[in-house]
């Protein structure tokens, strides 16, 4: 068996049916073999960042590692943002890149480079394949490592000439079958602490959703009457957002997390990578007097960034099931707690809905009203892929999330993933409508993905929230100014650098528009863009929403269709009443 044929046998045995890639000369032996195989589909992307994003969405939808083929050093570099996102979001990927022919690597040929060195910073493990007889074993290890907690991308560098070798290699050994993790040692003590807690709380991390443990967490929350917070900027559905015990998503700031958890004497943090604060703030996210029980399948997580009263390492689903079984009917205060806090949470959600409905009207739309209109147009059982930054936060406040894997986001923060992730999500589960809610800046970073949507006719609805500015920069700048003012008021030393006008000289580019500086000193926005023209360039049907009612109708019609559609949504800079 030739090395490339043995490689395909491993892919088949690992359940791979699609290869996401952007090919070059160093991958030709592999690409030729894949395209000649009737049971394998090569999914082409015209830029590597889109390729990795598609694979990420596909892996999440299928629950299996996705396979990616990139082109040498340059292609690997283009895909790095997706690998960083996958690592943060713990998405299992097996990624390869073709290296130049080993017989002239010493001559430093074009596009060659230290592939393993480039990838190392973004993946959990690397393999530099140098011998044909090692290829299948290393590929097997890559698939195993990709799903081993903490899950993430694994990279292999494979020289072009290695795949072309005529030297026979042995057929690959069968895939090993590994059992899942059981309940964490120490769970009975955790049950005792939760049973006697006066005001228990729970933080639902993305590990809950990844492990299919939402039902078990609901059972535990109901058994204890604990308020449940989603982790900051959660990537998926980890607890039903309309449940009476759902207290909303924690803000990605230590001070806000402390305030939310204040008064809870025991807090169970399940499956979250500590607390991923976006910007630095002094102090711990944990209030004084709060005991933390931290559960994770990754042994490096409990106690990593703050002290815990009890760290649990084991299967998240198995451990939550054990806790729920032990505590159901054993906490007499649970029903009264649910009756007390349920109406409070529902009233808060109702106030947001009322503000959203009050903002309905013509374009440019209030962004809170616009995302509410998108939600009202969603078909049942939709998957929402969100990469909208400021509008995305508003979307989370009005989007009811009940079914697991109904929400896709990346906490990695590398822009441009949304379009590709939506395509991969629909390919991974064609039975569910997929609607991507995208910021205009995020859309610009991932535009190349639209080619794949059009080429493969993937029925995804792309909703672009078009505010025409870098809103998140302005909001962050405003917070920083308020923080500096507070420090000055407290007598702190403030060394403020000169204010910089970073506005690009658009007139020199013949683009016009833009008042330099502006009230925030951050007028970095490009000229107004009509995303319907972008969609038409790629051959995708497009519409510009005229009002909130028109937007809801457009989403409902597009999401029920069989073709990709882009909806351009002009919105204002601020959400009314928010």
């Amino acid at each position: 068996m030739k090395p490339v044929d043995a490689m395909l046998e491993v892919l088949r045995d690992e359940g791979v049916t699609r290869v996401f890639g952007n090919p070059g000369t160093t991958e030709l032996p592999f690409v030729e073999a894949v395209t000649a195989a009737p049971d394998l589909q090569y999914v082409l992307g015209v830029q590597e960042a889109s390729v990795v994003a598609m694979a990420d969405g596909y892996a999440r939808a299928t629950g299996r590692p996705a396979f990616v083929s990139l082109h040498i050093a340059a292609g690997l570099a283009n895909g790095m943002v997706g690998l960083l996102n996958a690592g943060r979001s713990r998405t299992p990927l097996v990624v390869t890149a073709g290296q130049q022919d080993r017989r002239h690597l010493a001559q430093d040929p074009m596009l060659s480079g230290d592939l393993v060195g480039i990838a190392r910073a973004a993946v959990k493990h690397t393999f530099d394949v140098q011998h044909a007889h090692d290829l299948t074993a290393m590929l097997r290890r890559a698939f195993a490592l990709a799903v081993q907690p903490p899950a993430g991308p694994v990279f292999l560098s494979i020289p072009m000439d290695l795949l072309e070798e005529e030297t026979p290699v042995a057929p690959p050994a069968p895939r090993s079958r590994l059992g899942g993790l059981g309940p964490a040692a120490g769970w009975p003590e955790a049950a005792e602490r939760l049973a006697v807690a006066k005001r228990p709380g729970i933080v639902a991390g993305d590990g809950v959703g990844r492990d299919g443990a939402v039902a078990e967490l609901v059972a535990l929350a109901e058994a204890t009457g604990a308020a449940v917070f989603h982790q900051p900027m959660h990537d998926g559905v980890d607890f039903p957002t309309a449940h009476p015990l759902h207290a909303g998503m924690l803000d990605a700031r230590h001070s806000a997390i402390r305030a939310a958890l204040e008064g809870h004497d025991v807090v169970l943090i399940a499956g979250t990578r500590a607390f991923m604060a976006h910007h630095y703030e002094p102090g711990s996210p944990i209030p004084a007097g709060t005991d933390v029980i931290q559960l994770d399948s990754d042994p490096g997580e409990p106690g990593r960034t703050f002290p815990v009263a009890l760290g649990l390492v084991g299967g998240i689903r198995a451990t939550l099931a054990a806790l729920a079984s032990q505590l159901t009917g054993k906490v007499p205060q649970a029903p009264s707690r649910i009756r007390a806090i349920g109406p409070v949470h529902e009233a808060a959600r109702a106030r947001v809905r009322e503000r959203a409905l009050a903002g309905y009207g013509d374009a440019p739309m209030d962004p809170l009203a616009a995302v509410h209109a998108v939600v009202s147009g969603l078909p049942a059982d939709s998957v929402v892929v969100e990469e909208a930054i400021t509008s995305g936060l508003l979307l989370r406040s009005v989007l009811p999330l009940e079914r697991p894997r109904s929400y896709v986001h990346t906490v990695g923060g590398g822009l441009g993933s949304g379009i590709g992730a939506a395509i991969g999500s629909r390919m991974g589960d064609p039975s569910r409508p997929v609607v991507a809610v995208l910021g205009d800046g995020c859309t610009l970073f991932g535009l190349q993905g639209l080619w794949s949507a059009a080429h493969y006719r993937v029925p995804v609805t792309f909703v672009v929230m078009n505010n025409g500015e870098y809103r998140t920069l302005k909001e962050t700048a405003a917070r920083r100014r308020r923080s500096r003012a507070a420090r000055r008021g407290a007598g702190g030393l403030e060394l403020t650098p000169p204010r910089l006008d970073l506005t690009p000289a658009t007139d020199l580019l013949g683009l016009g528009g833009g008042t330099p500086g502006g009230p925030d000193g951050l007028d970095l926005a490009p000229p107004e863009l009509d995303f319907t023209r972008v969609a038409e360039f790629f051959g995708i049907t497009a519409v510009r929403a005229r009002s909130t009612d028109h937007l809801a109708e457009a989403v409902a019609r597009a999401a029920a269709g069989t073709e990709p559609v882009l909806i351009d949504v002009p919105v204002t800079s601020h959400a009314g009443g928010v």
Side-chain angles (χ1 to χ4, degrees):
M1 182 176 286
K2 292 182 181 179
V4 70
D5 295 325
M7 183 177 180
L8 295 194
E9 284 303 303
V10 172
L11 298 187
R12 292 185 178 101
D13 198 35
E14 293 287 348
V16 172
T17 58
R18 285 186 169 98
V19 172
F20 295 87
N22 179 269
T25 53
T26 54
E27 292 77 41
L28 271 178
F30 174 71
V31 173
E32 288 174 345
V34 171
T35 54
D39 57 337
L40 296 172
Q41 180 189 15
Y42 189 95
V43 179
L44 177 63
V46 293
Q47 210 268 359
E48 288 87 356
S50 299
V51 167
V52 179
M54 286 191 290
D56 191 313
Y58 184 82
R60 296 201 211 185
T62 61
R64 302 190 309 270
F67 188 79
V68 181
S69 175
L70 304 179
H71 176 46
I72 214 160
L76 173 59
N78 282 338
M80 285 288 281
V81 65
L83 298 182
L84 290 167
N85 285 340
R88 280 280 181 174
S89 294
R90 294 181 173 176
T91 304
L93 302 177
V94 175
V95 184
T96 64
Q99 180 60 283
Q100 285 281 22
D101 192 306
R102 291 168 294 181
R103 291 168 294 187
H104 74 151
L105 273 178
Q107 301 170 34
D108 194 22
M110 181 183 293
L111 296 177
S112 65
D114 181 5
L115 303 188
V116 167
I118 294 171
R120 186 174 287 120
V123 303
K124 62 180 294 187
H125 198 84
T126 61
F127 293 94
D128 188 5
V129 185
Q130 288 296 312
H131 303 286
H133 59 262
D134 290 332
L135 176 60
T136 58
M138 289 182 172
L139 193 56
R140 287 286 196 204
R141 291 178 195 171
F143 274 96
L145 285 169
V147 298
Q148 185 181 97
V154 177
F155 175 76
L156 301 95
S157 169
I158 305 176
M160 177 182 184
D161 61 300
L162 186 147
L163 292 180
E164 291 182 313
E165 287 183 7
E166 296 292 337
T167 305
V169 297
R175 180 163 63 103
S176 299
R177 307 289 177 177
L178 304 178
L181 294 174
W187 73 262
E189 180 183 347
E192 291 174 6
R193 288 175 176 267
L194 288 169
V196 300
K198 295 177 180 172
R199 192 181 173 211
I202 296 173
V203 177
D206 285 324
V208 174
R210 283 193 302 268
D211 210 26
V214 174
E216 287 75 11
L217 184 59
V218 170
L220 176 60
E222 292 176 349
T224 58
V228 181
F229 304 87
H230 257 109
Q231 74 166 66
M233 303 309 296
H234 54 97
D235 276 352
V237 181
D238 308 310
F239 195 83
T241 59
H243 193 283
L245 291 173
H246 187 250
M249 182 184 75
L250 293 173
D251 195 356
R253 297 177 295 121
H254 280 186
S255 60
I257 296 168
R258 280 197 304 272
L261 300 183
E262 188 70 45
H264 291 280
D265 55 335
V266 178
V267 172
L268 169 66
I269 300 175
T272 182
R273 188 173 180 177
F275 287 118
M276 290 163 284
H278 192 189
H279 299 289
Y280 169 75
E281 284 186 341
S284 169
I286 307 301
T290 297
D291 287 339
V292 171
I293 302 168
Q294 189 174 4
L295 164 65
D296 208 283
S297 57
D298 176 8
E301 199 58 52
R304 183 170 66 91
T305 57
F306 47 79
V308 298
L310 179 62
L312 302 176
V313 178
I316 294 173
R317 182 177 182 180
T319 304
L320 292 177
L323 290 170
S325 177
Q326 178 72 12
L327 292 173
T328 296
K330 306 291 180 59
V331 183
Q333 306 92 327
S336 60
R337 289 170 180 167
I338 297 173
R339 289 194 298 270
I341 63 179
V344 175
H345 294 162
E346 176 52 35
R349 291 190 284 266
R351 287 193 295 271
V352 176
R353 290 194 296 269
E354 290 170 3
R355 290 200 297 268
L357 290 169
Y360 268 50
D362 294 336
M365 295 166 239
D366 175 276
L368 178 61
V371 295
H372 187 276
V374 171
V375 171
S376 67
L378 292 174
D381 207 27
S382 294
V383 176
V384 174
V385 177
E386 179 266 305
E387 192 193 17
I389 314 301
T390 50
S391 293
L393 291 172
L394 299 174
L395 176 69
R396 291 168 186 259
S397 70
V398 296
L399 176 63
L401 296 171
E402 299 296 322
R403 179 173 170 177
R405 295 184 180 175
S406 295
Y407 191 76
V408 178
H409 173 74
T410 176
V411 77
L415 298 187
S417 68
I419 292 175
I423 297 167
S425 295
R426 188 63 195 256
M427 285 183 166
D429 186 357
S431 68
R432 303 182 68 183
V434 174
V435 176
V437 180
L438 311 166
D440 48 3
C442 299
T443 303
L444 290 173
F445 272 74
L447 276 179
Q448 297 94 335
L450 292 177
W451 182 91
S452 297
H455 181 71
Y456 295 104
R457 311 312 301 170
V458 184
V460 170
T461 302
F462 303 99
V463 181
V464 182
M465 308 300 292
N466 189 352
N467 66 11
E469 66 174 356
Y470 288 101
R471 187 71 227 156
T472 189
L473 267 68
K474 291 188 175 184
E475 292 180 355
T476 301
R479 284 197 297 269
R480 288 165 62 87
R481 286 196 297 273
R482 289 194 296 269
S483 177
R484 288 197 294 265
R487 290 199 299 270
R488 284 196 297 269
L493 179 63
E494 179 64 27
L495 301 176
T496 305
R499 181 166 155 180
L500 300 177
D501 179 8
L502 303 178
T503 307
T506 53
D507 288 338
L508 296 178
L509 302 175
L511 300 176
T515 301
D520 294 298
L522 286 168
D523 284 340
L524 304 176
E528 182 179 353
L529 296 173
D530 183 349
F531 285 93
T532 63
R533 296 173 64 186
V534 174
E536 290 164 1
F537 170 78
F538 285 105
I540 291 177
T541 301
V543 61
R544 174 166 271 206
R546 300 186 301 271
S547 67
T548 43
D549 289 337
H550 181 223
L551 173 57
E553 294 170 3
V555 169
R557 185 168 53 253
T562 58
E563 300 285 330
V565 176
L566 185 144
I567 304 173
D568 190 353
V569 185
V571 295
T572 60
S573 298
H574 297 277
V578 177

